[in-house]
Amino acid sequence: MKIANKLATAAAALSLATAAYAENPMVGGAAMFESKNIVENAVNSADHTTLVAAVQAADLVETLQSPGPFTVFAPVNDAFAALPAGTVDTLLMPENKDMLVKVLTAHVVAGDWSAADIAREARASSDGFYHFNAVSGDALSAQVKGNNVYIYDENGNASLITIADVDQSNGVIHVVNSVLVPE
């Protein structure tokens, strides 16, 4: 009986230790490393080539490589492709840089917010939404539906967090399935 208890205790401890040191999820077919910053990891994701190109065009690379911490809701390529035809090309034009910066910074929040932190705030609120601001100044809201966390832009469009808690040296990335559009 004592051996069984010791084995159960050892198994539980090993399970907790493994969970505590679990590796980041893969994103876009690439390993994401906690020791790398947001940009260093994002450039390796095949699912984020449009986002990376936009960050480069907006001259936000240096900002997203800084110490932060930042929470980034990172839309996948398909999210950008779902925008009305020509939208991405128009945003990437040099004369539209200010608009591009506004759209991209509407996906960034100051601080290191895990999906569990965001969900806890949403569940604790009186209306079921956690209301917060992006670094662009735009209002965002989070809501939990079942086991899913959705982020809403100012227009009421919902974006599902499809891969949560991709830890970075300067914050965290949550992969989302649509672009958050500021008003």
Side-chain angles (χ1 to χ4, degrees):
M1 187 85 158
K2 285 185 179 184
I3 292 173
N5 284 342
K6 286 183 182 181
L7 285 175
T9 302
L14 181 59
S15 175
L16 287 174
T18 302
Y21 295 104
E23 291 184 24
N24 265 342
M26 299 277 286
V27 175
M32 299 286 116
F33 300 97
E34 280 188 59
S35 59
K36 293 186 176 185
N37 66 48
I38 290 165
V39 174
E40 290 170 331
N41 275 319
V43 298
N44 293 317
S45 169
D47 291 342
H48 290 92
T49 56
T50 305
L51 177 62
V52 169
V55 166
Q56 291 168 338
D59 290 326
L60 291 173
V61 171
E62 190 174 315
T63 301
L64 292 174
Q65 288 180 325
S66 71
F70 304 107
T71 298
V72 176
F73 300 105
V76 294
N77 295 337
D78 287 346
F80 285 101
L83 293 171
T87 301
V88 173
D89 291 335
T90 299
L91 284 172
L92 292 175
M93 292 177 169
E95 62 268 25
N96 295 325
K97 181 178 172 183
D98 290 343
M99 188 183 333
L100 178 61
V101 168
K102 174 96 166 140
V103 169
L104 293 175
T105 57
H107 292 80
V108 181
V109 176
D112 188 336
W113 287 85
S114 71
D117 293 338
I118 295 168
R120 182 182 59 251
E121 293 292 332
R123 286 185 181 113
S125 70
S126 60
D127 66 355
F129 288 89
Y130 172 51
H131 304 283
F132 54 106
N133 288 324
V135 297
S136 64
D138 295 285
L140 298 175
S141 299
Q143 182 184 38
V144 179
K145 293 182 182 178
N147 291 326
N148 296 313
V149 177
Y150 291 85
I151 306 299
Y152 292 83
D153 62 24
E154 291 180 326
N155 299 297
N157 300 311
S159 187
L160 172 66
I161 295 178
T162 59
I163 302 174
D165 302 327
V166 185
D167 292 322
Q168 316 289 302
S169 65
N170 61 342
V172 63
I173 290 174
H174 302 293
V175 177
V176 294
N177 70 348
S178 63
V179 176
L180 302 169
V181 181
E183 281 189 335

